[in-house]
Amino acid sequence: MSRSSLCWEKNGLKKGPWTAEEDQKLVDYIQKHGHGRWRTLPKYAGLKRCGKSCRLRWTNYLRPDIKRGKFSIEEEENIIQAHSVIGNKWSAIAARLPGRTDNEIKNYWNTHIRKKLLRMGIDPVTHAPRLDLLQLSSSLLMKPPPFDLPGLLSIPSLLNPDILSLATTLMSCQENFNTQEMVTTMQNLHQNQLQSPFLPQSQLNQVTNSSSIMPNFGHDIAVNRYQPYNNLANYGYDELKHGTVSQNGAFWCNNIGFGSSSSITPLNSSGTSFMNGCTITEDERASYCSKTLTFDFPMSGLDVNRFA
DNA sequence: AAACCTTCCAACCGCCCCTCC
DNA sequence: GGGAGGGGCGGTTGGAAGGTT
């Protein structure tokens, strides 16, 4: 038992929600005397609370410089950017957001941002694409797609399941698709040192120069909307009408992930599982799979017989 | 209208680190 | 050096509020 935890065990000390009267006592005392020693503060302030409870109430709620209300887009961007660098260091993140407390940011992350990233197919821990789930989707596709993607591309290296999953998703998540931009995406992924080996440049060039082997789905594509990893201007705010690949290979797509936020259970609910370093709930996985299984391969303009 | 479900967030909890003696 | 005290931090919980059936 840690020493500080004794705080919560002391009999006679009140727990639970603070009353307006308690708040007033605490504010009055701190305004007069400051908050040097939290342990003795409640005694002098006439509060039947432990010092730790007083400190939390002050820092998370009563402090006069606390900003209330919804997080702005800029604040949300700041949080995501900071989190991608320093992780769950809420106090450090809070230091970048004047008026926001670490607790508030932590809550906002868990209730909004985390879910948003998951819906986008981004691991909220690593901020990388969730290839684990993409692989799951591949294994769940009992029937192969209506065309043989590796054969279609004449790219043996795409037989790498990771790459195949990514490529499949790239294709399936796009309402719009054309060969040149897909190739550009691959080239950029390759150049940006995606962990898995990608196409040799010679093969990329070959594909680039032989677009006829790729079906033209008759639309333009936004797959190659690269953006720097630290440029979070479009980090989900437009619901990602287009898939996006970041410079470090991070990829997100609006067709990967989960259903509406209203259908997702709290992330700390029971029934969680651990997949490749990220925890997901049964509901999330089910939701993800249901989405996966409805992958919509745009078939218009595709001559399947060519690949038979 | 009521029961049930989901979301949200204030507060709790326990661990850790720093300082002091 | 090491034990005690104080405070900070991140994870988790529980209940209120709102939404849905």
Side-chain angles (χ1 to χ4, degrees), chain A residues 44-253:
Chain A
Y44 295 121
L47 290 162
K48 292 187 185 304
R49 296 268 182 177
C50 77
K52 195 169 187 175
S53 180
C54 293
R55 180 175 60 81
L56 286 172
R57 183 64 178 172
W58 174 258
T59 56
N60 289 335
Y61 197 83
L62 297 175
R63 233 174 52 201
D65 59 331
I66 285 181
K67 187 198 285 185
R68 293 279 160 200
K70 290 191 65 166
F71 280 75
S72 68
I73 289 176
E74 290 75 20
E75 286 177 314
E76 193 171 321
E77 288 175 4
N78 274 337
I79 293 169
I80 295 170
Q81 186 173 17
H83 187 276
S84 71
V85 176
I86 60 178
N88 294 359
K89 303 294 182 187
W90 306 117
S91 58
I93 295 172
R96 297 171 55 142
L97 292 161
R100 300 294 189 182
T101 68
D102 54 355
N103 204 40
E104 194 178 12
I105 292 169
K106 179 173 60 184
N107 283 333
Y108 190 69
W109 175 271
N110 287 327
T111 57
H112 292 91
I113 301 175
R114 184 179 149 97
K115 290 176 185 175
K116 184 180 283 188
L117 295 180
L118 284 168
R119 282 201 305 276
M120 291 154 55
I122 300 171
D123 183 343
V125 177
T126 64
H127 293 252
R130 305 181 67 195
L131 282 175
D132 55 326
L133 291 182
L134 298 183
Q135 282 186 285
L136 174 64
S137 76
S138 293
S139 65
L140 287 172
L141 285 169
M142 299 303 289
K143 289 175 63 180
F147 54 86
D148 175 16
L149 182 61
L152 184 69
L153 297 173
S154 300
I155 300 169
S157 59
L158 274 179
L159 288 172
N160 178 320
D162 287 350
I163 306 304
L164 181 57
S165 295
L166 180 58
T168 302
T169 310
L170 276 168
M171 295 176 73
S172 64
C173 75
Q174 299 306 316
E175 294 176 1
N176 309 312
F177 190 94
N178 76 30
T179 306
Q180 181 56 53
E181 285 171 322
M182 178 69 174
V183 169
T184 305
T185 299
M186 292 177 173
Q187 286 175 320
N188 279 302
L189 282 171
H190 182 62
Q191 287 164 3
N192 286 300
Q193 299 174 345
L194 192 67
Q195 286 286 322
S196 303
F198 229 85
L199 291 178
Q201 191 62 41
S202 58
Q203 287 188 356
L204 282 170
N205 291 339
Q206 180 187 351
V207 174
T208 305
N209 296 328
S210 56
S211 60
S212 61
I213 70 168
M214 292 287 287
N216 185 341
F217 296 118
H219 312 287
D220 61 4
I221 193 174
V223 167
N224 65 338
R225 285 178 60 213
Y226 285 80
Q227 59 186 140
Y229 194 56
N230 59 0
N231 177 2
L232 297 159
N234 294 321
Y235 216 120
Y237 297 114
D238 60 358
E239 293 301 324
L240 285 175
K241 294 183 176 65
H242 310 285
T244 304
V245 181
S246 76
Q247 279 188 336
N248 70 347
F251 166 78
W252 50 92
C253 165

Side-chain angles (χ1 to χ4, degrees), chain A residues 205-308:
Chain A
N205 291 339
Q206 180 187 351
V207 174
T208 305
N209 296 328
S210 56
S211 60
S212 61
I213 70 168
M214 292 287 287
N216 185 341
F217 296 118
H219 312 287
D220 61 4
I221 193 174
V223 167
N224 65 338
R225 285 178 60 213
Y226 285 80
Q227 59 186 140
Y229 194 56
N230 59 0
N231 177 2
L232 297 159
N234 294 321
Y235 216 120
Y237 297 114
D238 60 358
E239 293 301 324
L240 285 175
K241 294 183 176 65
H242 310 285
T244 304
V245 181
S246 76
Q247 279 188 336
N248 70 347
F251 166 78
W252 50 92
C253 165
N254 64 326
N255 205 27
I256 313 171
F258 314 101
S260 66
S261 58
S262 62
S263 68
I264 299 176
T265 55
L267 295 173
N268 57 4
S269 66
S270 59
T272 57
S273 58
F274 203 70
M275 296 183 64
N276 197 25
C278 37
T279 304
I280 64 172
T281 66
E282 299 290 343
D283 286 354
E284 286 169 351
R285 193 168 53 229
S287 176
Y288 169 74
C289 293
S290 69
K291 279 280 187 181
T292 302
L293 292 169
T294 60
F295 269 167
D296 179 24
F297 283 87
M299 298 302 294
S300 62
L302 173 60
D303 181 3
V304 179
N305 293 330
R306 287 183 59 182
F307 311 105

Side-chain angles (χ1 to χ4, degrees), chain A residues 29-30 33-41:
Chain A
Y29 181 85
I30 290 176
H33 305 97
H35 53 78
R37 300 176 68 81
W38 290 109
R39 192 178 179 86
T40 55
L41 184 149

